[in-house]
Amino acid sequence: MPAGNATLDLFGGVFLPEGMKYQPEFLSADEERALLADIETLPFREFEFRGFTGKRRTVSFGWRYDFNGGGLTRTEDMPELLTALRARAEAFGGLAPRSFQQVLVTEYAPGSGIGWHKDRSVFGDVAGISLLSSCTFRLRRRTEKGFEKNTLVAEPRSMYLLRGPSRTEWQHSIPGVESLRYSVTFRNVLEQSPS
């Protein structure tokens, strides 16, 4: 059963945490194909976290978060192939143009996923677009009796938004994917480093 503040997602019948929004078919199949052709040319590198290398590859624009102690630093500007998508993500979230200053593009090889986490506190709203294959998007929040949990299947071409309690109170994770998947994740930056 959903918590008192959870909302019903009208598309999938899934109860989403307060502040989370989900839309399947955010992109058309043709838009996805064109976007993937561009994304595959990006300079991906293996994800590093505290000295370990993950199974996924990433590339960031606007701002980059260094998980090996470097924190948030400026990086290359968002390429044109992502700026139109950013505008659509901002409209989906009800945000002003250019509110999302950071984008992370992730390539999940078969078997790769991401463990339980909340996005770093330097970021505000988080909007993600799932490409090529679906994934299980798990959510959990600690309560006095353990964890409250929700699960959503993020379909190819779908979009989600995490804001408010869904962003600050809930963790999310993605178990190993069955087939190649890409995600494009936009974030607004709350705290900026001087560099």
Side-chain angles (χ1 to χ4, degrees), residues 16 26 30 71 74 83 99 103 111 187 192:
L16 301 177
F26 182 76
D30 287 342
R74 288 286 291 150
T83 56
S99 292
V103 62
R187 299 178 178 96
Q192 297 181 3

Coordinates of all heavy atoms in Angstrom, one line a residue, residues 16 26 30 71 74 83 99 103 111 187 192:
L16 N 3.7 6.1 -6.8 CA 5.0 6.8 -6.8 C 5.2 7.6 -5.6 O 4.2 8.2 -5.1 CB 5.1 7.7 -8.1 CG 5.0 7.0 -9.4 CD1 5.1 8.0 -10.6 CD2 6.1 5.9 -9.6
F26 N 7.8 9.3 -23.7 CA 8.2 10.7 -23.7 C 8.8 11.1 -25.0 O 8.7 12.2 -25.5 CB 9.2 11.0 -22.5 CG 9.6 12.4 -22.4 CD1 8.7 13.4 -21.9 CD2 10.8 12.8 -22.9 CE1 9.1 14.7 -21.8 CE2 11.2 14.2 -22.8 CZ 10.4 15.1 -22.2
D30 N 11.4 7.2 -33.4 CA 12.3 7.9 -34.3 C 13.2 8.9 -33.6 O 14.4 9.0 -33.9 CB 11.5 8.7 -35.4 CG 10.8 7.7 -36.4 OD1 11.3 6.6 -36.5 OD2 9.9 8.2 -37.1
G71 N 34.8 16.4 -5.9 CA 33.5 17.1 -5.8 C 33.0 17.6 -7.2 O 33.3 17.0 -8.2
R74 N 33.4 22.3 -13.1 CA 32.9 22.6 -14.4 C 33.5 21.7 -15.4 O 34.6 21.2 -15.3 CB 33.2 24.0 -14.8 CG 32.5 25.1 -14.1 CD 31.0 25.3 -14.5 NE 30.9 25.8 -15.9 CZ 30.0 25.5 -16.7 NH1 29.0 24.7 -16.4 NH2 29.9 26.1 -17.9
T83 N 20.7 19.8 -26.0 CA 20.0 21.1 -25.5 C 18.5 21.1 -25.8 O 17.8 21.5 -25.0 CB 20.7 22.3 -26.0 OG1 20.7 22.3 -27.5 CG2 22.1 22.5 -25.5
S99 N 17.4 25.7 -16.7 CA 17.5 25.3 -15.3 C 18.4 24.2 -15.0 O 19.0 24.1 -14.0 CB 16.1 25.0 -14.7 OG 15.3 26.2 -14.7
V103 N 24.2 17.4 -17.2 CA 23.7 16.2 -17.8 C 24.7 15.1 -17.7 O 25.9 15.3 -17.9 CB 23.2 16.4 -19.2 CG1 24.3 16.8 -20.2 CG2 22.5 15.2 -19.7
G111 N 24.1 -6.6 -17.6 CA 24.5 -7.0 -16.3 C 24.9 -5.9 -15.4 O 25.1 -6.1 -14.2
R187 N 20.2 17.5 -14.3 CA 20.1 17.9 -12.9 C 20.3 19.5 -12.8 O 21.1 20.0 -13.6 CB 21.2 17.3 -12.0 CG 21.1 15.8 -11.9 CD 22.3 15.3 -11.1 NE 22.2 13.8 -10.9 CZ 22.9 13.0 -11.7 NH1 23.6 13.4 -12.7 NH2 22.8 11.7 -11.5
Q192 N 27.7 25.5 -6.3 CA 28.7 25.5 -7.4 C 30.0 25.8 -6.8 O 30.2 26.7 -6.0 CB 28.3 26.5 -8.4 CG 27.0 26.2 -9.1 CD 26.7 27.3 -10.2 OE1 27.4 28.2 -10.5 NE2 25.5 27.1 -10.8

